[in-house]
Amino acid sequence: MNRDSLTVATPAGTVHATAGLRRGDAVVFELGGAMRGSVHVTGTHHPQHWDRFTAVRACLGPVNAYQTTAPDDALPRLARGSSGYRGSLKLHTDVVGRPEVSVYPMETAAGHEPSPKTAATLTAVLHACAEHVMQREDLPAILTASRERDTPALLRFLDWSVTHHQAEAARLEAEARAAHPARRAAVAAWWTVARWFTASPHPVLLVMLADYPGSLSRHVSVIQWLAPYCLTAASREHDQARRAETEAAGLRNQQIRQRRRSLTDSDRARNDLTRR
């Protein structure tokens, strides 16, 4: 299954996409018919799980647009047009196995948005190429190679994410602690004014007790929910940090297993040579 041809019906006409030999983690399709140029398809992680490489990404052009930028003259274009187009599409399955598509912004090499008809054509071609790779027999090898390629950068991002979320949680918890004495002081001030008003009613005191933006009463209302809000937000930040830690650990464990498999395969190959 090294070379396959697709026929894609699009608003601009029929596009033919021919898959070349797989190069590591990528399959490049050469386009003909209503479009010319190429589409680059590689494996990638699931949109909600950084450590699960179960999706494929199709990019307009001969290279992975998330690693490098294709020259303007190498971007695909309509057969009757002169503008090259950039953009990508991610295809994955949801929890019950249904396909889901995420389309990322399409634009010309000059940064202009394509017409709806052109955008539909580009999306149809990207979707067809991605769907074809998702059904290939060598998809596991593509996903494994993609994971090995992306793991170092993902680990750097996840390690940063852990530190960032932990720092945000600490900031929010400190803000919640500071809100308690501020709330007590605000409530005490309101009751002081209320006693003054009871003892000697005055319009100025009534204004201080009224509920409007910037008033003492509004300040009490805001400060009362500030601590619970900060604690809830801090809890979410802790959850995000734990999730990033778990995903980083998952990627590292996959790295270790892959290295062990590589060493085992190498040892087996040496043993076979020795027997010969």
Side-chain angles (χ1 to χ4, degrees), residues 60-74:
L60 293 170
V63 298
N64 185 347
Y66 279 71
Q67 284 189 305
T68 186
T69 301
D72 292 351
D73 59 2

Side-chain angles (χ1 to χ4, degrees), residues 21-229:
L21 295 172
R22 176 167 65 89
R23 297 180 295 188
D25 69 328
V27 178
V28 177
F29 292 81
E30 295 301 325
L31 307 177
M35 278 186 69
R36 59 183 185 273
S38 56
V39 169
H40 184 284
V41 184
T42 185
T44 188
H45 60 82
H46 190 279
Q48 281 80 47
H49 303 281
W50 296 94
D51 59 334
R52 300 181 190 176
F53 276 70
T54 57
V56 298
R57 180 169 57 225
C59 299
L60 293 170
V63 298
N64 185 347
Y66 279 71
Q67 284 189 305
T68 186
T69 301
D72 292 351
D73 59 2
L75 295 174
R77 58 202 67 217
L78 299 181
R80 296 181 180 179
S82 59
S83 297
Y85 293 95
R86 292 191 175 91
S88 65
L89 175 149
K90 181 182 284 190
L91 176 63
H92 64 281
T93 55
D94 63 14
V95 292
V96 295
R98 294 173 301 194
E100 289 193 352
V101 175
S102 301
V103 180
Y104 297 88
M106 307 282 183
E107 63 178 17
T108 67
H112 303 303
E113 185 177 347
S115 69
K117 178 180 177 180
T118 299
T121 297
L122 300 174
T123 300
V125 172
L126 288 173
H127 190 189
C129 294
E131 190 173 45
H132 175 78
V133 171
M134 187 69 89
Q135 297 172 356
R136 286 174 62 117
E137 295 176 358
D138 59 351
L139 177 64
I142 292 172
L143 295 176
T144 296
S146 298
R147 175 175 50 76
E148 292 176 349
R149 177 203 66 211
D150 288 348
T151 290
L154 285 175
L155 286 176
R156 288 192 296 271
F157 165 74
L158 289 170
D159 289 342
W160 169 87
S161 184
V162 170
T163 302
H164 170 75
H165 289 300
Q166 288 175 339
E168 277 296 291
R171 181 188 65 79
L172 288 163
E173 288 165 345
E175 193 170 342
R177 289 191 298 271
H180 290 299
R183 178 183 59 81
R184 289 193 294 269
V187 170
W190 189 92
W191 278 109
T192 297
V193 175
R195 286 193 294 269
W196 290 346
F197 181 79
T198 301
S200 179
H202 193 280
V204 172
L205 297 176
L206 183 60
V207 169
M208 293 177 67
L209 295 173
D211 185 13
Y212 63 90
S215 70
L216 182 59
S217 182
R218 182 64 60 87
H219 177 62
V220 170
S221 298
V222 171
I223 205 73
Q224 282 181 327
W225 61 257
L226 181 58
Y229 168 81

Side-chain angles (χ1 to χ4, degrees), residues 4-17:
D4 298 279
S5 296
L6 310 177
T7 300
V8 188
T10 78
T14 301
V15 176
H16 303 287

